[in-house]
Amino acid sequence: MTTLAPTMTKDEIQTWIVDMLHEMFEIEKNKITPQANLYTDLDIDSIDAVDIVVKLNQLTGKRIQPDVFRTVRTVQDVVDVIATLLQADEKA
């Protein structure tokens, strides 16, 4: 899996997240919509969420703060967190 580039659009990040969740948890891609709740719709548990954060940290080269990820509920929330992280990097 490729690393995320600071210039990626939210649509590109969305596609990347879908691929990542499909690879990591064998979730059908058609179920991974922006509105899908990670916990109730995709059956992600707290251990899985930690695995997602670790993977995102590796692939972005950034550290996602645990309190930030605690507010994440949907796939769109994940996309927004990553987009914000990448944009902060671009402005630095």
Side-chain angles (χ1 to χ4, degrees):
M1 196 164 223
T2 59
T3 57
L4 292 170
T7 56
M8 288 177 82
T9 66
K10 284 192 176 187
D11 286 342
E12 290 170 324
I13 295 169
Q14 165 79 25
T15 300
W16 186 88
I17 298 286
V18 168
D19 290 343
M20 182 193 73
L21 292 172
H22 174 71
E23 282 180 30
M24 288 179 74
F25 305 109
E26 298 178 1
I27 301 168
E28 293 176 36
K29 288 185 178 185
N30 65 339
K31 289 185 177 183
I32 309 170
T33 64
Q35 302 80 20
N37 185 294
L38 297 173
Y39 307 101
T40 57
D41 298 331
L42 304 180
D43 294 325
I44 302 288
D45 62 23
S46 58
I47 303 291
D48 295 336
V50 169
D51 291 340
I52 292 169
V53 171
V54 168
K55 184 78 161 177
L56 292 173
N57 286 344
Q58 291 171 345
L59 295 170
T60 61
K62 304 285 167 220
R63 188 173 188 310
I64 298 170
Q65 298 303 319
D67 57 323
V68 170
F69 206 78
R70 253 183 246 123
T71 64
V72 167
R73 294 288 172 261
T74 66
V75 172
Q76 186 63 51
D77 292 342
V78 177
V79 171
D80 292 342
V81 165
I82 297 302
T84 300
L85 203 65
L86 294 176
Q87 287 169 355
D89 187 42
E90 204 170 59
K91 291 175 186 170

